[in-house]
């Protein structure tokens, strides 16, 4: 009898060991596989069982959370959704996250380990950490001014603070309401399909994710390279530039949109936006030095994040002399995001220094304690301070005497550069209207804001598309909002 009891006990122990081994297999070895299984809703239920942290602009939240009473309990809400969509992106139960909602998801969802004051206690209890908040650098007045200025026209605006790199405005139109995608029902599906089918691409962040030919606004870069290289010196000396200008090694003759460009001085050429003068200057500077100046200002950098990735602005270093001439006036393969061109204007305003732009001022716990702060940003000298001072003078002349008069602000010092960029096969596309600028208030020691605005012109208005006519008033509204804040 005793022998049978021992056998039964041994068998029970064997079963218990097998049970424990299987439990370890399920909970440890196979846990990642079960977590990834689409049929497992537990991670989603846990993720949405508490409100998400907020994104703030100007000290006020532009996001929120709504209790749906469902298994996926809390759903994201947005205040002024279309206005701030290029900053926030969306947080959807069905389609994931984008932009700042994605880049700061760990803090906003409460998953960031820094939010757990007692990690071991959290592991034991399994209680979720409240989501933290993300405080942005956005100035609401500047954001609204850019959005209203663009109106229903496709385009984008980026505004930065030259002395710090803080992004003050980031606007893209047409826009959309991220709240329409927050849930997981039929309404969110309909909105998703409609937005993806829209030819205007409202979910594309044109300010940081689309590159355009910068046109004549790139002449700021070419002028900087020419001044730094000593190819140009006296702003008022003739440049020995023919009109038209034969592109080297070709029979193609480059012309101008205005008169008075033959042998024009650098000052006159900048005011009148003479293609011939800047194409020749670019060729004289050479591809190596032109590339070096462009890259010092941020071109060809594929690693910029703000904290979400920014599309790479490009200046082609593998060009012949004719292609270099076109590249030097912002055509051929030269492409730039509005944020990149705002960085160019900011470098001129800040004595030739380029500061890495950033969108997040700090992150905080739900109770207000600071998790992380922006701190000091990297700085590089993209051009000589004297070159930047001369460019500021040239940009002031454009606003006070040239094609940028629509950007003038009473009582402020404003510098700018217009641009009308051709594109498409045989330049068949409607041009893009550009304006890059900086502004300094009457009581300011240094410029407080640098702006780049681009408006995608309509084919019907092709003859009326100019940077001074379409983009300069938008930039002016943004600069005035910053100076008045």
């Amino acid at each position: 009898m005793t022998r049978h009891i021992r056998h039964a006990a041994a068998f029970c122990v064997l079963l218990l060991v097998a049970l424990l081994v299987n439990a370890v297999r399920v909970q440890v070895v196979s846990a990642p596989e079960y977590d990834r299984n689409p049929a497992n809703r537990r991670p989603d239920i846990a993720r949405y069982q508490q409100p998400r942290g907020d994104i703030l602009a100007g000290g006020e939240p532009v996001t929120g959370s709504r209790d749906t009473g469902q298994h996926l309990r809390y759903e994201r809400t947005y205040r002024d959704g279309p206005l701030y969509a290029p900053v926030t992106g969306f947080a959807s139960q069905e389609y994931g996250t984008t932009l700042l909602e994605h880049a700061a998801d760990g803090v906003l969802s409460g998953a960031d380990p820094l939010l757990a004051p007692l990690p071991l206690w959290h592991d034991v209890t399994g209680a979720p950490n409240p989501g933290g908040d993300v405080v942005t650098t956005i100035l609401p007045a500047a954001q609204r001014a850019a959005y209203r200025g663009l109106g229903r026209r496709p385009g984008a605006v980026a505004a930065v603070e030259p002395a710090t790199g803080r992004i003050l405005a980031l606007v893209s139109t047409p826009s959309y309401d991220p709240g329409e995608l927050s849930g997981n029902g039929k309404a969110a599906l309909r909105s998703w399909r409609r937005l993806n089918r829209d030819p205007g691409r409202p979910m594309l962040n044109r300010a940081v994710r689309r590159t355009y030919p910068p046109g004549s606004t790139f002449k700021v870069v070419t002028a900087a390279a020419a001044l730094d290289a000593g190819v140009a010196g006296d702003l008022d000396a003739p440049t020995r530039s023919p009109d038209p200008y034969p592109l080297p090694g070709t029979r193609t003759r480059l012309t101008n949109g205005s008169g008075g460009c033959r042998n024009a001085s650098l000052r006159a050429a900048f005011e009148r936006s003479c293609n011939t003068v800047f194409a020749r200057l670019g060729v004289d500077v050479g591809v190596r030095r032109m590339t070096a100046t462009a890259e010092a200002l941020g071109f060809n950098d594929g690693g910029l994040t703000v904290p979400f990735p920014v599309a790479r602005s490009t200046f082609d270093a593998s060009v012949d002399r004719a292609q270099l001439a076109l590249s030097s006036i912002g055509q051929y393969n030269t492409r730039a995001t509005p944020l990149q061109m705002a960085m160019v204007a900011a470098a001129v305003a800040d004595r030739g220094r380029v500061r890495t732009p950033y969108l997040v001022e700090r992150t905080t716990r739900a109770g207000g304690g600071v998790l992380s702060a922006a701190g000091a940003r990297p700085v590089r000298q993209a051009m000589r301070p004297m070159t930047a001072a001369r460019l500021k003078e040239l940009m002031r002349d454009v606003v006070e005497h040239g094609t940028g008069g629509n950007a003038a602000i009473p009582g402020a010092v404003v510098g700018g550069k217009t641009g009308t960029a051709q594109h498409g096969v045989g330049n068949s596309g409607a041009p893009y209207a550009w304006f890059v600028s900086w502004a300094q208030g009457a009581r300011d020691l240094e410029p407080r804001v640098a702006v780049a605005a681009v408006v995608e012109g309509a084919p019907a208005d092709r003859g009326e598309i100019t940077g001074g006519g379409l983009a300069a008033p938008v930039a002016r509204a943004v600069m005035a909002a910053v100076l008045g804040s």
Side-chain angles (χ1 to χ4, degrees):
M1 185 67 179
T2 304
R3 182 169 57 86
H4 293 298
I5 293 175
R6 286 199 304 268
H7 289 172
F11 184 66
C12 289
V13 169
L14 182 62
L15 291 177
L16 180 60
V17 170
L19 183 62
L20 291 174
V21 169
N22 188 60
V24 170
R25 182 188 66 80
V26 171
Q27 297 187 21
V28 178
V29 178
S30 301
E33 180 183 347
Y34 289 127
D35 286 341
R36 293 192 299 266
N37 193 315
N40 181 15
R41 300 196 68 196
R42 289 184 180 276
D44 289 338
I45 292 172
R47 177 181 176 86
Y48 297 108
Q49 70 175 327
Q50 65 177 6
R52 191 171 173 83
D54 284 322
I55 297 172
L56 286 74
E60 297 294 328
V62 297
T63 60
S65 295
R66 181 174 68 89
D67 190 348
T68 65
Q70 305 297 318
H71 282 299
L72 304 184
R73 183 173 174 182
Y74 285 95
E75 192 174 282
R76 196 56 147 167
T77 61
Y78 295 87
R79 179 170 63 85
D80 293 327
L83 174 63
Y84 290 104
V87 176
T88 63
F90 61 75
S92 170
Q93 295 176 347
E94 184 71 21
Y95 305 109
T97 55
T98 59
L99 300 182
L100 203 50
E101 292 276 27
H102 180 74
D105 183 65
V107 171
L108 295 168
S109 67
D112 193 312
L114 293 175
L115 291 169
L118 299 171
L120 293 178
W121 178 253
H122 169 73
D123 291 342
V124 172
T125 63
N129 298 310
D133 294 336
V134 175
V135 180
T136 71
T137 59
I138 294 294
L139 184 66
Q143 188 81 358
R144 291 191 196 96
Y147 188 72
R148 291 171 182 168
L150 288 172
R152 296 187 177 183
R153 297 171 298 187
V157 173
V160 300
E161 187 175 67
T164 62
R166 297 169 70 241
I167 297 175
L168 304 177
L170 207 62
V171 170
S172 175
T173 55
S175 190
Y176 71 104
D177 185 357
E180 294 181 357
L181 303 175
S182 294
N184 55 23
K186 293 182 178 179
L189 174 61
R190 287 194 296 269
S191 296
W192 177 259
R193 289 175 175 173
R194 173 177 54 80
L195 290 170
N196 279 284
R197 291 171 181 168
D198 191 328
R201 303 182 69 187
M203 290 195 292
L204 172 65
N205 189 340
R206 288 168 163 82
V208 296
R209 294 302 302 164
R210 182 167 188 176
T211 59
Y212 300 84
S216 292
T217 60
F218 191 79
K219 291 170 183 174
V220 176
V221 181
T222 302
L227 290 167
D228 268 355
V231 172
D234 186 346
L235 299 183
D236 297 300
T239 56
R240 305 189 315 278
S241 303
D243 184 10
Y245 171 64
L247 295 180
T250 75
R251 297 181 179 179
T252 303
R253 292 176 175 267
L254 185 66
T255 59
N256 297 291
S258 59
C261 290
R262 184 174 182 272
N263 294 329
S265 67
L266 187 59
R267 186 187 306 276
F270 203 84
E271 286 181 20
R272 299 167 188 166
S273 202
C274 295
N275 290 332
T276 52
V277 172
F278 285 92
R280 189 192 69 79
L281 282 175
V283 172
D284 289 349
V285 170
V287 66
R288 183 179 62 83
R289 285 180 170 173
M290 280 295 301
T291 302
T293 299
E295 290 183 349
L297 288 164
F299 284 81
N300 297 338
D301 179 3
L304 179 62
T305 59
V306 293
F308 44 80
V310 177
R312 180 174 176 265
S313 298
T314 57
F315 184 82
D316 195 341
S318 58
V319 292
D320 60 27
R321 284 160 52 86
Q323 294 163 343
L324 177 59
L326 295 176
S327 298
S328 300
I329 59 172
Q331 299 290 164
Y332 190 59
N333 286 340
T334 305
R335 310 276 300 187
T337 62
L339 180 60
Q340 171 61 63
M341 294 312 297
M343 290 169 61
V344 170
V348 173
D350 192 33
R351 305 178 188 180
R353 295 174 292 197
V354 175
R355 301 178 189 270
T356 304
Y358 65 99
L359 185 58
V360 175
E361 195 75 77
R362 62 185 178 276
T363 58
T364 67
R365 293 185 173 87
V370 175
L371 282 176
S372 64
R377 311 298 293 176
V379 181
R380 64 177 178 272
Q381 195 73 38
M383 65 187 80
R384 296 173 182 170
M386 180 56 70
T387 294
R390 290 178 172 181
L391 283 173
K392 285 180 72 173
E393 186 179 338
L394 293 178
M395 293 179 77
R396 284 185 63 179
D397 288 344
V398 168
V399 174
E400 295 174 4
H401 310 296
T403 55
N406 283 336
I409 300 173
V413 178
V414 179
K417 182 68 187 80
T418 57
T420 306
Q422 307 293 334
H423 68 101
V425 178
N427 293 332
S428 59
Y432 300 129
W434 276 93
F435 194 74
V436 299
S437 57
W438 51 263
Q440 179 176 339
R443 298 182 180 180
D444 298 327
L445 297 178
E446 299 289 343
R448 285 177 55 193
V449 60
V451 179
V454 62
V455 179
E456 300 178 19
D461 303 324
R462 184 184 181 93
E464 301 176 4
I465 298 171
T466 64
L470 292 182
V474 180
R476 179 193 182 278
V478 176
M479 292 186 293
V482 175
L483 296 182
S485 64

